[in-house]
Amino acid sequence: MESTEEKPVHLLLHACCGPCSLEPVRLLRQRGIEPHIHYANSNIAPADEYARRRDTIRAWATEIGLSFAEGTYAPDAWEATAGRIGEASDGSEAQRQARCRACYRVRFEESAAYAAAHGFGALGTTLSVSPYQYGWIIREELERACEQAGIRSFFEDYSPHYAEATRRSREAGMYRQVYCGCRFSEAEAAAEREERAAAREAEKARRAAAREPEERRLAARRAQRAAYDAKQAHKRAVLKALRAHRKEHPDA
Ligand code: SF4
């Protein structure tokens, strides 16, 4: 795992949600770094989803004795930047990257300003846990926001720990969201789920079609065997009846 700063004096950790915070906090504490959580996520829509994620991470932070601060929930400000890019998007990958870059920017600028105002020396983020995020853009935006606020950037790539974060959050019964956060990602995730379901159905149909000749052959074999067995049973019954008849009429 790469780190731009090995020993930050006082680390503020921008956190997107509880599940993504599990591993970064464990790894940081292992190295003797006690982070302070900053939940600054105006990207999350709708508001009750924002609150649900916040309550989940706050409850967990309290449970493990981690300090927690909530940012300002300002979805309108997010809409004016990242949201506007999303609206104008042609659906291309480049446009999606531009939207996510603007989204990271809004959140990191808020966290960096908070860090500078509250005496933190460095800012990190849990966003890099997800392999579905743009790691290099996260890094660039974190560095940009930190430079602007006059603090150090503490970027670390936590994506190798994604599987463990997933396992631990499931085991802990933590709320796990099914989309990144913004309204666009909610629609994209739903479309991707539909695509995956359709692909699974197509694969099921393809396998059934591939199995059909073999199943027909086996059915024919079973029918043949049943006919043979019936014939043999009939023969045995006839012979038995014959033997019984001869026994009763030995002179016939
Ligand atoms: S997909 Fe995620 S990172 Fe990208 S704009 Fe939406 S909430 Fe932000």
Side-chain angles (χ1 to χ4, degrees):
M1 189 169 48
E2 196 186 351
S3 161
T4 48
E5 284 294 338
E6 205 32 57
K7 285 191 178 151
V9 187
H10 199 193
L11 178 69
L12 186 71
L13 186 64
H14 165 267
C16 53
C17 63
C20 285
S21 304
L22 290 170
E23 282 296 284
V25 168
R26 180 183 69 79
L27 293 160
L28 289 166
R29 279 184 160 179
Q30 222 170 47
R31 286 146 61 199
I33 301 168
E34 184 65 8
H36 298 250
I37 296 286
H38 194 228
Y39 183 75
N41 300 298
S42 293
N43 57 313
I44 302 173
D48 56 355
E49 176 69 20
Y50 167 86
R52 190 170 184 192
R53 295 186 197 186
R54 177 203 58 208
D55 295 348
T56 302
I57 187 172
R58 191 166 50 192
W60 165 75
T62 304
E63 196 184 306
I64 65 163
L66 205 59
S67 79
F68 175 91
E70 182 181 1
T72 307
Y73 184 50
D76 290 349
W78 187 91
E79 286 292 343
T81 53
R84 193 174 290 170
I85 295 172
E87 280 299 337
S89 172
D90 57 8
S92 67
E93 176 59 19
Q95 286 287 308
R96 191 166 168 171
Q97 286 182 18
R99 184 189 79 207
C100 293
R101 181 183 285 281
C103 175
Y104 302 146
R105 186 168 292 184
V106 170
R107 296 147 85 190
F108 293 159
E109 280 182 352
E110 183 186 352
S111 284
Y114 179 91
H118 291 81
F120 289 93
L123 176 68
T125 180
T126 64
L127 275 173
S128 64
V129 169
S130 169
Y132 303 108
Q133 299 284 352
Y134 300 111
W136 79 97
I137 304 181
I138 291 173
R139 182 182 195 139
E140 285 172 10
E141 288 303 321
L142 189 70
E143 285 172 358
R144 182 187 173 278
C146 288
E147 195 183 333
Q148 206 170 274
I151 55 168
R152 283 176 288 169
S153 164
F154 189 78
F155 175 84
E156 291 193 319
D157 177 14
Y158 297 116
S159 61
H161 301 273
Y162 178 70
E164 181 61 5
T166 303
R167 190 196 65 75
R168 285 183 61 201
S169 55
R170 282 206 177 114
E171 194 178 88
M174 213 174 226
Y175 168 61
R176 294 176 46 78
Q177 61 271 11
V178 294
Y179 63 101
C180 185
C182 67
R183 59 193 171 94
F184 303 105
S185 65
E186 187 177 13
E188 286 159 2
E192 280 161 16
R193 278 195 299 278
E194 266 174 38
E195 266 171 39
R196 281 199 297 273
R200 275 197 301 276
E201 281 308 308
E203 179 59 14
K204 226 158 97 183
R206 189 195 64 73
R207 286 191 184 175
R211 274 198 313 267
E212 208 183 319
E214 177 62 5
E215 278 172 4
R216 268 206 307 269
R217 192 185 67 77
L218 290 174
R221 210 169 141 188
R222 277 195 299 273
Q224 218 174 27
R225 179 78 210 184
Y228 175 79
D229 288 348
K231 203 167 153 186
Q232 292 302 103
H234 179 68
K235 262 192 207 170
R236 282 196 298 276
V238 169
L239 286 173
K240 193 175 168 188
L242 207 57
R243 276 197 297 273
H245 181 77
R246 283 192 185 137
K247 208 170 169 182
E248 279 174 29
H249 308 285
D251 302 326

